[in-house]
Amino acid sequence: MAGELGNERDDHSRNTNDFADELTGLTGTRRRWRVTARLDELFRTISLYAVPAAIMLLSGIVLVFQESQYAVRGATPLTFQAQGDLPVTFGPPMVQGSLERATAVHQFSTHLSEAPVWFRVSVPPVGEAQHTVIEFPSRHAQTLACWRNPDAPAIGRADRGAVSGAIRVSKAGFAIDLGHLVAPVTLLCEATFSGPAHLTLVAWPASELRISEREFHRSNGLLEGGLLTLSAFVLVTAIINKEWLYVLFAAWLIGNLRLAANSLGADTQWLERTIPTDWDALVRKATFAIYYVLTYSLFTQLFKRELLRVGLRWMVMVLQWAGVVLCCAAIALPYAHFIPVLWTVAALGIVIVLALLTRILVLTRSRVAMWYSASLAIVLFATFSEVIAAAFNARALSSALNSVTAALFSSLMAALAIAEQMRAEHQGKLQAQMELRNAYDVTPVGLFTLNDQGVFVRGNAALHTMLGIPNTEGLTYRWDQFFGQSTWRMLLDVAQHSDESELEILSLPRDDGRTSRYLVKAIFSAGRIEGSLQDITERARTMEQLRYLAENDPLTGVSNRRGIEKSLGEAIRTLSDTRPAALAYLDLDRFKLVNDLFGHAAGDEVLRQACDRMRARLSADQSVGRTGGDEFIVVFRDATIKEAAAVTRRLVDAIAGEPYQIGERAFQVRASAGVIELTTDMRVPDAISSADRACREAKKGRRELVVYERGAAAFRERLAELRLIDALDAGLTPNTLFLEMQPIMEMASPGESLNFEVLLRMRDSDGNIVPASRVISAAEENGSIGMIDKWVLTNTLAWIDANRDRLVKTRFVCVNLSGASLNDEHFVRDIFASLAAHERAVGLLCIEITETVALHDLDNTRRFVDRIHQLGGRIALDDFGAGFSSFSYLKDLAVDAIKIDGAFVQSMAAHPANLAIVEAIVALAKNLGIRSVAEWVEDAATLEALSELGVDYVQGFLIARPQTPEAILAADSAASFVRDPQLALLLAELGQAFYPRQSDSAVLH
């Protein structure tokens, strides 16, 4: 035992020593890593802060305390005498004399003139033991020739293509070497210029001018190289990031470079290549025009949203068209005439752009917009300052702010703008990442990432809650732990190969035995599955319930209208000689009384019990459905009409057989039913409509049950109505609809007027005339009555317009409008548009509206009547007296005539009450100054009675049946249609006896 213990102690000592060695090694490694990390931090700090600070400090010290290696001394501005309006015939001797009287100046402006300029200058010696050189720095100089002695040859000549003698090219202009001078000399020179030239002369020691020239070319090279590098950087950035706005900005920077070169006088070369002299003017014009277009495009694209916000669209349009003008001028005008156009457009552009920039900065206060605006403002102002200065002879301005400084400052502003843009984009990405992470964590939908082995890589809080995963690090969970291996294979297949990335799955049973249904959306990307998991357990239950409710009545449990129509459609599709079918329509009688007296709860219970009684008496091939409050449909499959009628009889008896016990009350409810035989060509709505008609017939006749067998007259009549509705749905054509006209006779002068009412007629597919009542009923049922009314009125107006000259004796033409049309605002608007288009016809038009329609909305009717009167039309009340006992509304409704309801007129000779009613209506009309028209006049006795009552107009078959339009045009008067000699004699006697010749006031106005 002791030996064993000793061995254990030795083992413990060895383990302790090994652990100490490992700990020592680990500690050394950590120490080395700590030193390395600190060195990295030190180098990073030096690189980010110390080195840039040292560079800026050293650069500042050098700029302040060290002299530039290109510093020059000894430049002496010269005064000279110049004239630009001398005759071309003057030679150097004559010019010399003229210039001696001119005033000495330091600067001479050509004012865009391209005429030769002569100038005389006295040059003093400059520098010791050095040649004296005269610089002509104007980049607009085109030619130069100089003489020491006017009578001697020129000492040098130069143009933009070649130089000779003592003259050479210097910077942007020319220079002439006068050699070593010991005393002042006088030079006489002739020069030509193009553009806004300013002539100045500077005397240099030769060595100092060479230094100045080297500095000029160095500055030009730095400017060209710097801007090209910046443009290339912006262009590459744009291509990589697919940000095409930066492409436009890169092109704009090249435009800056060319303008700077123009200011320096170096625009005659590009990339160390000389541009042909003949191209100078064209290149300069193109440079300005293209730069304007680039500036406009950059400005409008950069501030697209801001410009929409600030409005002022007209300013942008002015900028746009100004660019068009500038481009056209660059193409069509010579350079000297192009410059004034450039000045005008530049000044206008500067004003508008600065105004818009100011407005944008005030509204947006964006730092990116600020830097871009600063860049644009500097360029737009400084670039054109030279030409503006030239226009106003302000040389100091153009020398202080020119295109060179514009290019430098705009490049700096552009760099700051790009940096700000990148910072803003980076901040935006960080913010988006943070928002995305927050949304990922708080979204109620489970979000997850799986590797290709089905292991969860990450998931949000909602996923952990759904699946019951604890928030414990270091543990791995697999998909099949929660949904099974087969579901994993389905998910992998859907994510990798299927266009449909959605999958409904069922979870494995949990500890309590419950399962949940989930909707998974997934996509396979970069070897992983990214997806979402949504718990749709409750939604699935709800959908099942909704599917049930979609075809079943929740109150009674039987099929609803949709469900029973589905069963009916299936029965019609399977219909054959061996498989007949029928349909029953049942309606509970006086059911509304139960609801009104005992409440809806009692009514609902009655419905439930009635359905229970019906279902107890129906077989599996017979379906019942509730289509309305107390209406039911029963579909009989594989049943003859007799069998269906027998079952329906039992249903009616069952409904009415026993009282309905509701609490302590008992109700007796009866039912009416209609049964029809189904046919293969029958549509579901048509079958229900026909069965409903049979039920209504049973209810009306109190017969309890009405059966329509195939071929029954009522059945055929209803099908004809349905076909008519289909015809109306298919559209109206002149071949199906036409007009007839029934004369309306004036009792006072039957032979001197030809008034009539327009009536609608329709031909069916067999050419038979469809009764007007059926057409109107069908049109009202399918909602096309407004279209028909519009067709009738439009065609009537067109017919009157076309035949107005032949309707000499016509005082009015009546046209009926339905109530549904008059309550349709679109119809009323269209009608008044038609009336306005047929002004000649409106004077004869008399629109008839029924008394019921007029009183439905009296204010609306009054407005309609007033508008018709304003257009010159008339209004008549049709079917007057049918259903209303109070006529007080007539005093508020300015109608022109009332048409007495035909039901009173037709039987007035046999019923004294009707005679009294007609007499009262006629008297009322006369007292109100309204014309009266009696309809349905069919016998002479009625005509005599109406004459005695003083009716103004009569209409009916006694006078004339409806006529064709051609017959109306061929007639002389309404009396022309009377064929009975005795009736004609009676009309003459009545006209003379009761209606002595009246004035025009008797006519319908």
Side-chain angles (χ1 to χ4, degrees):
M1 178 68 71
E4 293 177 359
L5 182 60
N7 292 334
E8 291 178 0
R9 288 176 179 175
D10 292 340
D11 292 339
H12 177 71
S13 300
R14 284 194 297 270
N15 292 337
T16 302
N17 293 333
D18 292 342
F19 176 75
D21 293 340
E22 292 177 3
L23 181 62
T24 302
L26 181 61
T27 303
T29 301
R30 289 180 177 176
R31 187 180 295 110
R32 286 193 297 273
W33 277 111
R34 189 180 298 113
V35 172
T36 301
R38 289 182 178 177
L39 284 175
D40 285 342
E41 183 66 24
L42 177 62
F43 291 164
R44 179 175 177 274
T45 302
I46 293 173
S47 300
L48 290 179
Y49 302 106
V51 172
I55 291 174
M56 289 189 291
L57 178 62
L58 182 60
S59 299
I61 293 173
V62 170
L63 288 174
V64 173
F65 297 104
Q66 296 293 322
E67 186 178 20
S68 171
Q69 61 178 324
Y70 295 104
V72 292
R73 300 177 182 82
T76 305
L78 302 177
T79 60
F80 56 93
Q81 298 161 302
Q83 282 186 315
D85 54 353
L86 296 175
V88 295
T89 57
F90 278 24
M94 298 180 67
V95 171
Q96 176 87 352
S98 177
L99 288 176
E100 289 176 352
R101 297 187 296 271
T103 304
V105 294
H106 286 90
Q107 173 184 300
F108 180 81
S109 176
T110 63
H111 299 292
L112 296 179
S113 173
E114 295 186 359
V117 175
W118 291 85
F119 54 93
R120 178 174 176 272
V121 58
S122 177
V123 183
V126 291
E128 297 179 359
Q130 290 193 46
H131 287 203
T132 298
V133 182
I134 307 298
E135 180 190 9
F136 304 88
S138 177
R139 67 179 183 277
H140 298 286
Q142 299 299 309
T143 62
L144 178 67
C146 293
W147 294 264
R148 280 194 178 184
N149 185 351
D151 297 324
I155 62 174
R157 293 182 180 274
D159 56 31
R160 288 299 176 181
V163 295
S164 62
I167 299 178
R168 61 181 175 85
V169 176
S170 177
K171 302 180 187 176
F174 300 104
I176 182 169
D177 190 344
L178 299 180
H180 179 66
L181 297 181
V182 294
V185 298
T186 299
L187 284 181
L188 177 64
C189 298
E190 178 190 27
T192 58
F193 302 86
S194 65
H198 292 274
L199 174 61
T200 58
L201 303 177
V202 181
W204 288 88
S207 60
E208 298 296 322
L209 180 58
R210 283 192 294 272
I211 295 174
S212 179
E213 289 173 344
R214 286 197 301 272
E215 194 276 336
F216 172 82
H217 291 296
R218 173 182 173 276
S219 299
N220 185 44
L222 289 176
L223 179 65
E224 185 174 285
L227 288 182
L228 284 176
T229 301
L230 181 59
S231 299
F233 168 75
V234 173
L235 182 61
V236 171
T237 302
I239 294 174
I240 293 175
N241 296 297
K242 296 182 179 180
E243 183 60 59
W244 306 119
L245 178 63
Y246 289 168
V247 175
L248 181 59
F249 195 78
W252 184 73
L253 288 176
I254 299 297
N256 277 355
L257 171 62
R258 293 305 301 166
L259 288 182
N262 179 273
S263 180
L264 287 171
D267 59 339
T268 58
Q269 55 181 325
W270 174 247
L271 300 178
E272 299 181 356
R273 304 296 189 275
T274 301
I275 298 174
T277 305
D278 297 340
W279 293 11
D280 284 351
L282 179 61
V283 168
R284 287 172 180 170
K285 291 190 295 181
T287 298
F288 283 111
I290 293 173
Y291 181 75
Y292 185 97
V293 173
L294 289 172
T295 302
Y296 170 82
S297 300
L298 178 64
F299 180 77
T300 53
Q301 290 298 315
L302 183 62
F303 299 110
K304 182 185 296 183
R305 287 177 295 183
E306 289 82 355
L307 289 173
L308 290 175
R309 182 178 174 184
V310 302
L312 303 177
R313 177 61 185 168
W314 65 271
M315 284 191 175
V316 180
M317 293 181 65
V318 170
L319 283 177
Q320 187 181 62
W321 284 102
V324 174
V325 171
L326 187 63
C327 291
C328 293
I331 296 172
L333 299 179
Y335 189 70
H337 296 93
F338 169 75
I339 292 300
V341 178
L342 173 64
W343 289 347
T344 303
V345 172
L348 179 63
I350 287 174
V351 172
I352 293 178
V353 171
L354 288 180
L356 291 173
L357 284 174
T358 303
R359 182 67 174 166
I360 289 172
L361 288 174
V362 169
L363 291 179
T364 63
R365 302 183 183 277
S366 166
R367 284 189 290 182
V368 176
M370 180 186 69
W371 291 120
Y372 273 122
S373 299
S375 176
L376 288 172
I378 290 173
V379 171
L380 288 172
F381 183 77
T383 298
F384 297 106
S385 63
E386 183 174 346
V387 293
I388 293 174
F392 296 98
N393 201 21
R395 181 64 179 177
L397 178 63
S398 64
S399 60
L401 288 173
N402 54 33
S403 296
V404 179
T405 56
L408 295 174
F409 278 105
S410 68
S411 300
L412 176 61
M413 296 298 105
L416 293 173
I418 292 174
E420 179 62 29
Q421 181 79 8
M422 294 173 64
R423 188 196 69 81
E425 290 177 355
H426 180 66
Q427 290 295 113
K429 290 179 181 179
L430 292 178
Q431 182 67 24
Q433 290 176 357
M434 183 181 299
E435 293 175 357
L436 183 61
R437 185 64 194 180
N438 293 336
Y440 184 86
D441 290 336
V442 303
T443 184
V445 177
L447 303 177
F448 62 86
T449 301
L450 298 170
N451 64 15
D452 56 359
Q453 301 300 317
V455 177
F456 283 98
V457 177
R458 59 175 171 265
N460 66 347
L463 182 78
H464 284 250
T465 303
M466 287 181 188
L467 303 183
I469 301 175
N471 292 319
T472 304
E473 296 183 1
L475 299 179
T476 59
Y477 296 91
R478 300 177 60 85
W479 176 268
D480 52 20
Q481 291 178 244
F482 305 96
F483 302 104
Q485 187 63 33
S486 61
T487 306
W488 162 245
R489 288 193 295 269
M490 293 170 57
L491 177 66
L492 190 62
D493 182 68
V494 166
Q496 288 181 329
H497 308 295
S498 177
D499 293 334
E500 295 292 335
S501 59
E502 285 190 5
L503 182 67
E504 284 195 18
I505 59 175
L506 196 65
S507 68
L508 296 176
R510 298 186 180 181
D511 295 339
D512 56 3
R514 292 186 300 107
T515 60
S516 298
R517 185 173 293 275
Y518 296 96
L519 176 66
V520 181
K521 295 182 179 180
I523 186 172
F524 193 83
S525 175
R528 293 183 174 186
I529 295 178
E530 302 285 347
S532 65
L533 190 70
Q534 186 176 359
D535 190 339
I536 59 170
T537 305
E538 291 300 324
R539 190 177 77 178
R541 294 195 187 102
T542 303
M543 290 300 296
E544 291 177 3
Q545 184 177 6
L546 289 177
R547 278 192 289 269
Y548 173 81
L549 294 177
E551 296 184 357
N552 293 272
D553 178 33
L555 176 64
T556 62
V558 300
S559 298
N560 59 12
R561 187 178 190 92
R562 184 173 182 269
I564 198 63
E565 285 182 352
K566 185 176 179 181
S567 298
L568 177 58
E570 183 64 24
I572 294 175
R573 281 193 295 272
T574 60
L575 191 65
S576 65
D577 293 338
T578 59
R579 300 190 65 184
L583 176 68
Y585 197 104
L586 291 89
D587 186 4
L588 302 185
D589 298 336
R590 298 171 54 185
F591 176 76
K592 184 176 182 298
L593 188 61
V594 176
N595 278 332
D596 293 342
L597 293 179
F598 304 105
H600 289 279
D604 291 346
E605 185 60 30
V606 169
L607 291 174
R608 280 191 286 266
Q609 293 185 25
C611 286
D612 291 340
R613 295 181 185 184
M614 286 189 285
R615 279 186 294 191
R617 289 161 177 81
L618 295 175
S619 66
D621 291 333
Q622 298 163 355
S623 305
V624 60
R626 180 180 173 218
T627 60
D630 59 348
E631 298 171 342
F632 301 89
I633 288 178
V634 180
V635 178
F636 298 93
R637 289 182 292 274
D638 297 327
T640 64
I641 186 66
K642 293 182 179 180
E643 293 170 342
V647 174
T648 305
R649 168 62 67 183
R650 290 196 295 270
L651 294 179
V652 171
D653 293 341
I655 291 173
E658 297 179 5
Y660 293 83
Q661 192 69 35
I662 312 295
E664 298 180 355
R665 298 186 179 89
F667 305 101
Q668 191 70 38
V669 177
R670 297 187 181 278
S672 301
V675 182
I676 67 168
E677 186 177 3
L678 297 176
T679 59
T680 56
D681 60 346
M682 189 175 289
R683 300 181 308 174
V684 170
D686 298 345
I688 295 176
S689 179
S690 299
D692 180 28
R693 178 168 182 168
C695 180
R696 282 189 279 114
E697 183 177 336
K699 198 179 189 74
K700 184 177 181 181
R702 297 185 179 182
R703 296 160 54 187
E704 289 188 348
L705 179 62
V706 170
V707 179
Y708 286 170
E709 296 184 6
R710 186 183 307 182
F715 207 173
R716 291 196 306 270
E717 186 176 323
R718 179 56 183 167
L719 290 178
E721 290 182 3
L722 295 174
R723 283 196 297 269
L724 179 57
I725 291 174
D726 290 340
L728 293 175
D729 286 335
L732 302 175
T733 65
N735 295 328
T736 60
L737 293 181
F738 64 96
L739 300 177
E740 287 189 344
M741 301 166 182
Q742 185 175 25
I744 301 175
M745 179 179 290
E746 185 177 359
M747 294 294 291
S749 53
E752 296 185 7
S753 64
L754 182 59
N755 308 309
F756 49 89
E757 179 181 357
V758 177
L759 303 173
L760 174 68
R761 295 291 183 265
M762 181 177 182
R763 293 187 184 90
D764 60 17
S765 58
D766 298 328
N768 300 317
I769 303 299
V770 181
S773 59
R774 187 181 298 175
V775 175
I776 299 301
S777 175
E780 290 177 344
E781 186 171 341
N782 84 325
S784 62
I785 187 65
M787 180 173 58
I788 290 180
D789 280 346
K790 183 178 178 181
W791 185 90
V792 171
L793 186 58
T794 302
N795 282 272
T796 299
L797 291 171
W799 185 84
I800 295 174
D801 249 352
N803 300 284
R804 185 68 177 85
D805 297 336
R806 300 176 63 182
L807 300 173
V808 179
K809 293 186 177 181
T810 300
R811 301 292 181 266
F812 61 89
V813 178
C814 293
V815 177
N816 268 291
L817 293 183
S818 68
S821 298
L822 291 176
N823 289 318
D824 184 350
E825 292 294 333
H826 294 288
F827 172 83
V828 173
R829 182 188 60 199
D830 293 343
I831 285 305
F832 281 107
S834 298
L835 294 177
H838 298 85
E839 295 182 359
R840 292 183 62 203
V842 176
L844 296 182
L845 185 65
C846 179
I847 294 180
E848 295 184 12
I849 57 176
T850 64
E851 184 182 13
T852 305
V853 172
L855 295 184
H856 175 72
D857 187 347
L858 192 57
D859 291 336
N860 185 54
T861 303
R862 186 184 296 111
R863 289 192 296 269
F864 180 79
V865 170
D866 291 342
R867 290 188 66 183
I868 292 295
H869 284 160
Q870 290 173 2
L871 293 174
R874 303 175 181 87
I875 295 290
L877 282 181
D878 197 14
D879 298 336
F880 187 79
F884 289 92
S885 59
S886 176
F887 302 144
S888 61
Y889 67 89
L890 285 175
K891 67 178 183 295
D892 299 322
L893 201 59
V895 299
D896 301 279
I898 54 177
K899 300 189 75 173
I900 306 169
D901 185 61
F904 298 127
V905 176
Q906 190 178 32
S907 59
M908 61 180 290
H911 295 84
N914 287 347
L915 178 62
I917 292 174
V918 173
E919 183 178 7
I921 293 175
V922 173
L924 176 66
K926 287 185 177 296
N927 291 332
L928 294 176
I930 300 173
R931 302 296 106 191
S932 57
V933 182
E935 299 180 301
W936 296 12
V937 180
E938 298 179 354
D939 56 68
T942 301
L943 180 64
E944 290 187 60
L946 291 172
S947 177
E948 292 176 0
L949 295 178
V951 171
D952 297 304
Y953 299 92
V954 292
Q955 177 184 358
F957 287 174
L958 179 66
I959 308 302
R961 290 182 176 273
Q963 305 291 321
T964 64
E966 292 77 13
I968 292 293
L969 293 175
D972 179 65
S973 67
S976 302
F977 297 98
V978 176
R979 298 291 181 261
D980 187 352
Q982 294 182 354
L983 179 59
L985 182 60
L986 175 61
L987 289 173
E989 292 175 355
L990 293 177
Q992 294 174 2
F994 300 103
Y995 295 93
R997 189 73 58 181
Q998 299 179 7
S999 63
D1000 290 343
S1001 61
V1003 180
L1004 177 59
H1005 290 291

